[in-house]
Amino acid sequence: MIEQYSDLLLIVDVQNDFCPEGALAVPEGDQVVPVINRLQSRFTHRVLTQDWHPLGHSSFASAHPGTQPFQTIEADYGTQVLWPDHCVQGTPGAAFHSNLATSGAELIIRKGFRKTLDSYSAFFENDQTTPTGLTGYLRERGFKRVYLCGLATDYCVAWSALDARKQGFAAVVIEDACRAIDLNGSLAQAKQQLTDAGVHLLSSDQLGV
Ligand code: VGL
Ligand code: ZN
């Protein structure tokens, strides 16, 4: 049962660069759009996130001469995957998928906008201490449970769900409203971490959508 006052749908990074033809295409990334639009009609409260990097961002392989996308480096805040340039602020790749319903969202959280710090989670940047402000927003508004959907299951959706739990919210990932990058087993690892953290995994039809 979705609670209209205390539940919130968090729609993670449904942006052109994560869809087929995009710079960091997630397989079938665009297929989440109709599912998420149906889900949106069940929630009174919706928040969007947007990956929002400056040109030359430190998560881009292009910013580290001699490296290739999808290899890892050690950043001062830990291991960082290097990605193709993606979701550069103000570019078409950073825009939401054109069929995603966005006008009903109450908030758009942008993340990853500091040049030397990446951010997967909607709550904290990858140093796991720099807040985006989402915790405060949710607490002040009285939300208790976060339902998550979007891209990518094993990165921004998973990290957001884990941080939601750490911040004391109930968290539910709607699996068929997500798609994964699945880099070196990252999807299986993320699902194990989600389960261990008490995140519920559901399908949209279990929500009657
Ligand atoms: C994401 C990799 C890099 C995501 C964002 O939205 O899952 N993944 N930036
Ligand atoms: Zn990114």
Side-chain angles (χ1 to χ4, degrees), residues 13 15 18 24 51-53 57 59-60 80 83-84 86-87 111-112 118-120 156:
D13 296 3
Q15 292 166 263
F18 298 123
L24 177 39
D51 208 36
W52 198 248
H53 301 308
H57 189 253
S59 74
F60 297 169
Q80 170 71 51
W83 303 106
H86 65 279
C87 297
K111 59 188 181 59
D118 202 9
S119 185
Y120 297 151
C156 293

Side-chain angles (χ1 to χ4, degrees), residues 77 114 117 123-133 163 167:
Y77 52 84
R114 293 177 182 80
L117 184 52
F123 292 87
F124 291 102
E125 309 257 325
N126 284 8
D127 62 359
Q128 296 182 36
T129 51
T130 304
T132 63
D163 279 346
Q167 297 300 84

Side-chain angles (χ1 to χ4, degrees), residues 1-2 34-36 38-40 42-43 147-149 172-178 201-209:
M1 246 313 266
I2 297 164
V35 186
I36 292 174
R38 282 198 297 278
L39 274 168
Q40 292 204 60
R42 297 302 180 99
F43 286 84
Y147 286 79
L148 299 100
C149 58
V172 181
V173 169
I174 307 162
E175 283 190 276
D176 57 318
C178 301
L201 302 175
L202 286 186
S203 64
S204 58
D205 58 358
Q206 289 175 284
L207 292 170
V209 178

Side-chain angles (χ1 to χ4, degrees), residues 4-72:
Q4 294 309 320
Y5 294 104
S6 56
D7 284 350
L8 173 123
L9 183 66
L10 184 66
I11 304 166
V12 177
D13 296 3
V14 183
Q15 292 166 263
N16 291 323
D17 270 343
F18 298 123
C19 292
E21 326 266 293
L24 177 39
V26 178
E28 304 183 345
D30 56 339
Q31 293 188 23
V32 302
V33 173
V35 186
I36 292 174
N37 285 343
R38 282 198 297 278
L39 274 168
Q40 292 204 60
S41 63
R42 297 302 180 99
F43 286 84
T44 308
H45 305 289
R46 286 152 268 166
V47 168
L48 301 167
T49 72
Q50 201 168 20
D51 208 36
W52 198 248
H53 301 308
L55 264 178
H57 189 253
S58 64
S59 74
F60 297 169
S62 64
H64 304 271
T67 65
Q68 294 295 320
F70 306 109
Q71 78 176 67
T72 57

